[in-house]
Amino acid sequence: MAKAAAAAGTATGQCLCGKVTFEIDVPARWAWHDHSAASRRAHGAAYATYVGSWKKRFRVISGKTALTRYEDKATKTARSFCSHCGTPIAYERPRGPHMINIPRALFKERTGRQPLYHIAIEELQEWAYTGEPLVPLKGFPGVVWQRSKKKKRGSGDDPFELGREEM
């Protein structure tokens, strides 16, 4: 069996409220984007980006008693989250019993791995942003939007009048 690489430092992270703090030895083992329905629902987002670490290289620094665990009996997966603010902290799967997967967004530093992989890409939602060009929204600093690909209306067209086929 190959020996694990020596740690080159640590990356620290925390939940939203700061009660739970943790660290991993870097580099992390891997990183990926998970488009599965379970991860979408657990995070309330289009997809979740995880960093995978060996469990022996993951440490809860503070707030261990604030962690709550949800075990899905059907999939045999487990998700841990902060019981105070609800932030997802860890995701464990039976296929990797020695691994723990942590949401990338919780880390303050680089983890030594870029998320190059996509899991369950066939579940990518049609409403998820996939890199289309965005432009500033006039009058709203810091807001960008994707312009519609529809043709612009003529100057005499009433934008509020629906045609019979659209009603």
Side-chain angles (χ1 to χ4, degrees), residues 70-77 94:
Y70 167 72
E71 294 184 14
D72 185 332
K73 304 252 187 270
T75 62
K76 297 183 176 146
T77 58

Side-chain angles (χ1 to χ4, degrees), residues 25-68:
D25 294 331
V26 294
R29 180 77 173 116
W30 60 61
W32 75 95
H33 304 292
D34 186 343
H35 300 273
S36 70
S39 283
R40 267 197 321 276
R41 288 184 182 110
H43 288 260
Y47 59 89
T49 302
Y50 291 105
V51 170
S53 174
W54 296 104
K55 285 183 180 178
K56 65 184 177 184
R57 296 176 65 157
F58 170 80
R59 294 167 296 283
V60 175
I61 305 302
S62 66
K64 197 169 199 165
T65 58
L67 285 174
T68 297

Side-chain angles (χ1 to χ4, degrees), residues 17-160:
C17 70
K19 285 194 184 295
V20 178
T21 61
F22 55 86
E23 68 182 11
I24 63 167
D25 294 331
V26 294
R29 180 77 173 116
W30 60 61
W32 75 95
H33 304 292
D34 186 343
H35 300 273
S36 70
S39 283
R40 267 197 321 276
R41 288 184 182 110
H43 288 260
Y47 59 89
T49 302
Y50 291 105
V51 170
S53 174
W54 296 104
K55 285 183 180 178
K56 65 184 177 184
R57 296 176 65 157
F58 170 80
R59 294 167 296 283
V60 175
I61 305 302
S62 66
K64 197 169 199 165
T65 58
L67 285 174
T68 297
R69 187 174 169 95
Y70 167 72
E71 294 184 14
D72 185 332
K73 304 252 187 270
T75 62
K76 297 183 176 146
T77 58
R79 295 180 186 271
S80 299
F81 55 94
C82 174
S83 61
H84 184 74
C85 66
T87 301
I89 302 293
Y91 172 47
E92 299 169 70
R93 303 179 302 172
R95 290 192 326 239
H98 303 291
M99 301 298 295
I100 191 160
N101 307 296
I102 307 111
R104 173 61 181 96
L106 303 183
F107 288 96
K108 297 174 189 173
E109 298 91 11
R110 293 176 179 248
T111 63
R113 294 284 182 242
Q114 293 298 322
L116 303 176
Y117 309 98
H118 291 260
I119 294 176
I121 192 68
E122 68 280 2
E123 295 184 48
L124 176 72
Q125 299 297 291
E126 52 91 21
W127 47 263
Y129 175 68
T130 56
E132 301 88 356
L134 301 173
V135 296
L137 182 58
K138 190 175 180 178
F140 295 89
V143 177
V144 294
W145 68 294
Q146 178 184 334
R147 285 195 174 143
S148 175
K149 292 178 182 161
K150 293 179 183 178
K151 283 188 164 187
K152 290 189 176 193
R153 299 178 188 274
S155 61
D157 293 343
D158 183 350
F160 299 105

